[in-house]
Amino acid sequence: MKHEILVYNKTRYKVPKKFISNRILRTLDFIKLKQPVELAVLVVSPSEIKRLNKIWRHKDYIPDELSFGFNSRKITKFAKEQNRVLELGEIVVNVNKIIDKSNLAKILVHSLLHLLGKHHETSEAEAKKVEAIEKNILKHLNL
């Protein structure tokens, strides 16, 4: 079974769906995640991502991205496994951040690591560890 990456465009702008899927698939390959995963990437307007940020994180600003995985729902497991498929959750991307593909790749890698249970908010040591993983992945992606 293969990974399933669904990309939804909730804006009127053109979205590089193949680029998004490709960067996520190459990241999963680099970290050697053999188990099939399912995840969705939603590209939304700045006002929509701000609204989601306010509802879910109680923060009133426009972020580059939001990650909604099973770990964000106060469950100890980082993902839900169903039929041997890891259901990682959703990455929500601000449409204004898709223009620069290098920046978009960084956002996708960062978000994917969150969905896989890697967090930089827990401690400075963990932040450095996650940053090193991100750098290695981006180097692999030639960014």
Side-chain angles (χ1 to χ4, degrees), residues 9 11 13 15-16 20 41-50 52 61-66 91-100 103-104 107-108 111:
N9 181 7
T11 72
Y13 300 99
V15 170
I20 291 169
V41 178
L42 288 80
V43 179
V44 300
S45 68
S47 60
E48 178 63 9
I49 201 164
K50 180 179 181 179
L52 292 170
Y61 67 92
I62 300 170
D64 294 345
E65 57 80 25
L66 295 169
I91 296 170
V92 183
V93 180
N94 179 344
V95 71
N96 291 343
K97 302 301 176 181
I98 67 168
I99 297 164
D100 178 355
N103 188 47
L104 175 57
I107 289 170
L108 293 170
S111 299

Side-chain angles (χ1 to χ4, degrees), residues 27 30-31 109-110 112-114 116-119 125-141:
T27 299
F30 179 75
I31 61 175
V109 167
H110 183 85
L112 183 58
L113 290 175
H114 274 294
L116 290 168
K118 306 287 184 199
H119 298 286
E126 188 66 20
K128 287 181 181 181
K129 185 177 174 183
V130 172
E131 187 177 316
I133 294 169
E134 284 182 14
K135 283 182 181 180
N136 283 335
I137 293 169
L138 293 170
K139 184 177 176 183
H140 172 73
L141 296 175

Side-chain angles (χ1 to χ4, degrees), residues 1-7 16-41 85-86 88 91 104-105 108-113 115-116 137 140-141:
M1 185 170 218
K2 299 183 337 185
H3 300 303
E4 185 171 8
I5 314 300
L6 304 171
V7 181
K17 291 181 178 184
K18 285 184 181 179
F19 177 87
I20 291 169
S21 294
N22 178 271
R23 290 311 178 267
I24 291 172
L25 291 170
R26 288 182 61 200
T27 299
L28 292 170
D29 181 54
F30 179 75
I31 61 175
K32 299 182 181 2
L33 186 63
K34 302 284 189 229
Q35 187 170 5
V37 302
E38 288 180 355
L39 75 99
V41 178
V85 174
L86 284 178
L88 293 179
I91 296 170
L104 175 57
L108 293 170
V109 167
H110 183 85
S111 299
L112 183 58
L113 290 175
L115 294 178
L116 290 168
I137 293 169
H140 172 73
L141 296 175

